[in-house]
Amino acid sequence: MKFTETKLKGCFILEPNVIHDDRGYFMESFNERTFQNAVEQSVHFVQDNQSFSTRGVLRGLHYQTGEFAQAKLVRVIQGDVLDVAVDIRPGSATFGHYEAVILSAENQKQFFVPRGFAHGFLVLSETATFFYKCDNFYNKESEGGIIFNDPTIGIDWNFDAEKLIISEKDTHLPTLENAKKAW
């Protein structure tokens, strides 16, 4: 598996080795030892989640605070999405910056988003099935979020804003400046 660190320290794009033959393909999607050696972090995943969405669905930008902060390893098993992580670590040289990557069933890339980042994705295909591992259990009281179109972050979603499908909750998220502190 190939690991590439992004411009945001601690965020990695993973590209598995895929073996193709006339039957289809085989790949190892996760190996704890290889993963921890590559990201140089001790991460133990405790929860798997999956979502199914249609074109234009934007989920996020979400994070967990305090003792319930979460790292995520995300991938798409059907369709394609624009996946985004925003650095919300105070004192970080890249605080408020984002990284965006296309994840698809075809490219089989994965994105590791460590604790201290807000995370979200936009579905680009007709439908997409999104899968992610978390290193901490979800806690509603520790949930935080940032509005997807915060002008100080300036995420280029490259999608017609009029065609976005966003939950009522996510349309009312605060800007980064007014967000619940993740630290």
Side-chain angles (χ1 to χ4, degrees):
M1 186 170 294
K2 178 181 174 187
F3 289 76
T4 306
E5 190 165 25
T6 69
K7 65 186 176 201
L8 304 177
K9 186 166 178 50
C11 286
F12 288 83
I13 296 169
L14 288 68
E15 298 175 69
N17 297 324
V18 182
I19 302 166
H20 294 273
D21 65 22
D22 57 351
R23 299 169 295 167
Y25 73 86
F26 172 84
M27 71 175 200
E28 182 178 77
S29 61
F30 180 75
N31 178 305
E32 185 177 43
R33 183 179 19 211
T34 303
F35 177 83
Q36 290 191 14
N37 286 338
V39 302
E40 297 178 343
Q41 298 177 44
S42 179
V43 179
H44 178 74
F45 295 108
V46 298
Q47 180 177 323
D48 285 353
N49 301 307
Q50 185 171 316
S51 69
F52 176 82
S53 305
T54 59
R55 180 188 307 277
V57 168
L58 193 150
R59 296 181 184 263
L61 301 160
H62 303 141
Y63 58 90
Q64 294 279 115
T65 62
E67 68 180 279
F68 295 101
Q70 292 178 324
K72 298 176 183 177
L73 179 60
V74 302
R75 66 186 177 118
V76 170
I77 54 179
Q78 179 270 315
D80 49 272
V81 307
L82 177 66
D83 199 67
V84 176
V86 178
D87 188 345
I88 58 173
R89 300 171 296 176
S92 168
T94 56
F95 179 83
H97 295 207
Y98 74 93
E99 182 73 36
V101 61
I102 300 287
L103 302 179
S104 70
E106 185 177 324
N107 72 22
Q108 298 179 347
K109 291 181 180 178
Q110 299 177 55
F111 192 27
F112 174 62
V113 181
R115 293 178 181 201
F117 289 80
H119 174 257
F121 66 90
L122 169 66
V123 177
L124 303 173
S125 51
E126 286 303 312
T127 61
T129 304
F130 191 83
F131 180 85
Y132 57 106
K133 297 179 157 312
C134 297
D135 78 334
N136 207 348
F137 298 105
Y138 172 78
N139 180 281
K140 185 169 180 55
E141 291 75 36
S142 298
E143 185 177 49
I146 300 166
I147 190 75
F148 76 96
N149 60 354
D150 183 331
T152 62
I153 300 171
I155 297 170
D156 179 6
W157 293 99
N158 198 23
F159 201 87
D160 182 354
E162 299 294 317
K163 294 181 180 179
L164 292 174
I165 303 167
I166 306 171
S167 73
E168 181 68 22
K169 178 181 87 170
D170 286 356
T171 63
H172 298 293
L173 291 173
T175 61
L176 176 59
E177 180 180 358
N178 297 312
K180 178 192 248 185
K181 303 303 181 211
W183 43 94

